[in-house]
Amino acid sequence: MSKFQFPESIASRPTYGSLKSRPGKAHLMIADAEGAEAILDLAAQDAGLMAKSHVIYIPSGSGAGLSERLRGLKPAQYYEGPSYAAAVPRIRRVLSDAHMGLQVYLCGTEGLMGQAMNEATAAGIPHSAIQTEHRGSIARRMQCVHCKGITENVTTDPFVCAHCGLNLFVRDHYSRRLAAFQGVCIDAEDPGNVPNPVELYK
Amino acid sequence: MTAAPQNTKAGAEKIAVTVSAVVPLNDLVTRFEFTRPDGAAFPPFSAGAHTVVEMRDQGRTRLNPYSLMSDPSDPSIYAISVRRDDQGRGGSLFMHRNVKVGDAMTLTYPVNLFSLDLRGRKHVFLAGGIGITPFMAMIAQLEQSNGNWELHYACRSEALGTYADQLRSHYPNKVHVYFDDQNQAIGLEDLLDGQPLGTHVYVCGPKGMIDWVHTTAAEHGWPSENVHSEEFLAPQPGKPFEVRLCKSDITIQVGEHESLLEAMERCGVDAPFLCRGGACGQCETDVVEADGEFVHRDHWLDDDDHACGKKIMPCVSRFVGKTLVLDR
Ligand code: FES
């Protein structure tokens, strides 16, 4: 099991729960990588659930064997894609056809959950009614507050902005709209004085 | 539960009004329209708001909340529709029997505890009987912005279908009326099924109807954030009891047919309130000492608050026992 307990932080930092089967005619599950494990656990709670479920899965390279097991749950619809971006048109389509009562379950990395959460809230579901469960990598999706570029999969603090090259400090300050944490220049006062990057949560 | 609003004035600001029209609508319901004697515009309100009407009934002051049902875009009048309740505490009877065109009255500024969630893609209104009133204002407001709404309105009979004809003729495709005496009922399950994402449901009517809508929507997987309701509780009679108000340094008696809040007001204590129906939280009062049982009836405090006996909502809740001391 790849569950990580994030330490308590500021209110801005999202927190995640564990998925519970809820009543509803239709269920949408969006997962990446080890997020598949959370769907497997969820399916084990409720035998009738998967027959009403649409699963959208992005293996991201670390889904070894997990795709097979997800398919084995026999969801009503199953989609697997190479990246989150590739899955977005499908997610939008499913949400635009959906009705009240749809249950949304997001699981896997923070970047996936945050972005999929945005799609679901834009479709009219209150964020507090969307379930999430973190699994797998603790890598973050970061926005450079200076150039506004997004750097995916950040695992160290500080890190170098993939767009403008500034050395950025990893903050817990989160933007739901951007589905990203904020990265702030760490050596603005004293250019070049950059602490050695350390792995997040190590 | 969040803390009570900070303003601890007794009630909202007041507005002097003149009764400009009294329009009987059917055997039970009459509309009262008010204008301002100085001709000034009324404070703007959002649909779903209520006002508290002050009635001077032979030396007794009655304060009853009513939903504003006039068009929020019309600042020249406020209107309420009052159902006569022959078994009630007398406020609605006073309105029906005593209030005449030209009378001077006092209303409070509107307070909205039942507002539209304007993020909603669609608004489904469920009204039972006189619960139609807030929806009259909501419909007017949404029509201004070309909002997506529909109304399902259950009434006892054609004769008592307050505003039913008017609504049906204005909005034939959006208004659905159900008459109890013709064995018609709102098909709630079918109605909830198939609504687009982002739909909000609003219910105003008897308690049983409100509970039914909340329960059925939850069973259908609706988020509680999308289900809105408003129920004003009328204070219920109960055994008289004695209360010590330590800040005011007096001991008062609460009579069988008055609420604790009304008893405080009768004794000249400036106690805060807004809704007088257990919904807004404004009257929340700390208990200093209690030896006895609380009769909590509000929708404001949560179960833990009710169990711990440290707080009471004087507008609707009572007490049975030896000693009650409040921080008021
Ligand atoms: S006055 Fe609103 S809860 Fe008592």
Side-chain angles (χ1 to χ4, degrees):
Chain A
M1 284 288 153
S2 48
K3 273 196 165 184
F4 181 80
Q5 209 47 53
F6 293 102
E8 272 211 32
S9 180
I10 55 173
S12 168
R13 200 220 185 295
T15 55
Y16 308 99
S18 18
L19 304 182
K20 302 262 171 332
S21 169
R22 285 194 185 152
K25 270 194 172 172
H27 302 257
L28 173 62
M29 302 168 187
I30 306 176
D32 68 352
E34 280 110 332
E37 292 169 359
I39 298 185
L40 292 165
D41 289 354
L42 176 65
Q45 289 173 26
D46 177 350
L49 182 64
M50 295 315 287
K52 300 180 282 189
S53 296
H54 189 145
V55 174
I56 293 181
Y57 183 49
I58 298 118
S60 316
S62 47
L66 287 171
S67 303
E68 294 321 307
R69 293 176 61 198
L70 277 185
R71 277 206 185 86
L73 296 173
K74 300 205 169 32
Q77 276 151 299
Y78 181 81
Y79 162 91
E80 195 172 298
S83 66
Y84 177 74
V88 166
R90 177 146 185 137
I91 292 171
R92 291 196 179 147
R93 182 61 208 249
V94 174
L95 289 169
S96 71
D97 290 346
H99 296 120
M100 286 302 290
L102 173 78
Q103 300 301 324
V104 176
Y105 308 82
L106 310 176
C107 39
T109 62
E110 297 200 77
L112 170 104
M113 291 190 283
Q115 291 175 89
M117 174 79 80
N118 262 352
E119 296 297 335
T121 50
I125 306 177
H127 72 91
S128 42
I130 297 165
Q131 295 193 67
T132 55
E133 180 166 341
H134 177 264
R135 296 283 184 125
S137 168
I138 52 154
R140 291 191 186 189
R141 181 176 146 86
M142 299 291 307
Q143 188 213 33
C144 172
V145 303
H146 310 282
C147 80
K148 311 297 176 198
I150 299 273
T151 306
E152 300 278 357
N153 281 321
V154 171
T155 56
T156 64
D157 177 23
F159 72 102
V160 175
C161 174
H163 303 259
C164 69
L166 284 178
N167 295 296
L168 301 178
F169 161 54
V170 173
R171 295 201 58 209
D172 271 355
H173 184 179
Y174 183 79
S175 160
R176 217 184 267 154
R177 178 178 64 88
L178 301 166
F181 290 94
Q182 313 258 271
V184 182
C185 184
I186 201 165
D187 58 341
E189 306 287 332
D190 186 5
N193 182 5
V194 181
N196 281 336
V198 291
E199 261 190 73
L200 290 173
Y201 298 116
K202 279 279 162 62
Chain B
M1 190 116 286
T2 45
Q6 283 309 297
N7 168 18
T8 50
K9 260 178 76 82
E13 294 287 326
K14 290 175 181 176
I15 312 169
V17 297
T18 308
V19 178
S20 56
V22 175
V23 185
L25 299 164
N26 54 44
D27 276 355
L28 290 178
V29 180
T30 297
R31 179 170 71 237
F32 298 88
E33 298 179 4
F34 307 99
T35 53
R36 296 184 74 158
D38 54 5
F42 275 105
F45 70 98
S46 52
H50 69 268
T51 181
V52 175
V53 179
E54 199 174 299
M55 305 168 204
R56 300 256 169 234
D57 188 1
Q58 298 169 357
R60 166 166 185 185
T61 306
R62 300 178 179 278
L63 296 164
N64 280 22
Y66 293 102
S67 295
L68 288 171
M69 45 87 44
S70 44
D71 181 344
S73 69
D74 179 356
S76 66
I77 72 157
Y78 277 177
I80 60 174
S81 292
V82 179
R83 180 185 186 281
R84 197 184 74 230
D85 183 354
D86 296 323
Q87 268 77 55
R89 293 171 4 110
S92 67
L93 277 175
F94 176 86
M95 291 298 292
H96 278 254
R97 287 186 187 150
N98 300 56
V99 175
K100 306 274 174 299
V101 171
D103 286 2
M105 292 188 84
T106 306
L107 309 182
T108 63
Y109 268 53
V111 170
N112 201 340
L113 301 173
F114 189 46
S115 54
L116 288 165
D117 188 328
L118 293 172
R119 295 167 299 182
R121 304 290 166 81
K122 181 177 175 187
H123 307 274
V124 176
F125 302 136
L126 305 173
I130 194 64
I132 190 64
T133 52
F135 298 130
M136 299 299 287
M138 288 186 181
I139 289 168
Q141 183 175 332
L142 285 179
E143 280 294 301
Q144 295 266 336
S145 55
N146 205 15
N148 187 7
W149 62 271
E150 66 190 43
L151 168 71
H152 298 267
Y153 177 19
C155 359
R156 266 204 247 158
S157 61
E158 300 247 13
L160 291 174
T162 314
Y163 300 117
D165 290 341
Q166 172 189 331
L167 286 165
R168 276 196 294 196
S169 70
H170 278 29
Y171 314 108
N173 299 323
K174 292 178 167 178
V175 171
H176 309 266
V177 184
Y178 308 78
F179 297 108
D180 294 351
D181 66 348
Q182 296 174 30
N183 287 322
Q184 297 168 339
I186 297 176
L188 183 59
E189 312 225 341
D190 289 340
L191 198 73
L192 293 174
D193 204 16
Q195 294 291 353
L197 278 190
T199 302
H200 286 251
V201 166
Y202 305 77
V203 52
C204 187
K207 177 167 169 48
M209 178 178 187
I210 293 174
D211 293 347
W212 173 58
V213 172
H214 279 286
T215 314
T216 313
E219 284 164 5
H220 282 68
W222 282 55
S224 57
E225 293 86 339
N226 291 51
V227 184
H228 311 262
S229 57
E230 175 159 78
E231 184 200 5
F232 286 126
L233 300 166
Q236 294 294 308
K239 271 181 50 193
F241 60 102
E242 187 178 273
V243 194
R244 167 121 195 104
L245 305 174
C246 58
K247 274 195 196 138
S248 316
D249 195 21
I250 50 168
T251 299
I252 65 168
Q253 310 294 327
V254 181
E256 183 180 351
H257 292 287
E258 67 183 348
S259 68
L260 170 53
L261 176 62
E262 288 163 341
M264 291 197 266
E265 289 167 340
R266 178 173 49 75
C267 298
V269 175
D270 197 25
F273 70 88
L274 280 179
C275 72
R276 306 183 79 84
C280 74
Q282 188 78 8
C283 69
E284 185 178 307
T285 304
D286 289 333
V287 174
V288 178
E289 198 190 322
D291 177 7
E293 293 290 315
F294 289 93
V295 186
H296 290 296
R297 295 189 53 251
D298 60 280
H299 295 312
W300 173 257
L301 300 172
D302 59 25
D303 292 349
D304 293 345
D305 284 335
H306 283 160
C308 83
K310 294 252 168 351
K311 288 173 179 166
I312 186 169
M313 309 305 286
C315 62
V316 289
S317 299
R318 305 183 69 90
F319 181 80
V320 184
K322 274 227 297 280
T323 326
L324 177 62
V325 183
L326 298 180
D327 185 29
R328 178 66 66 206

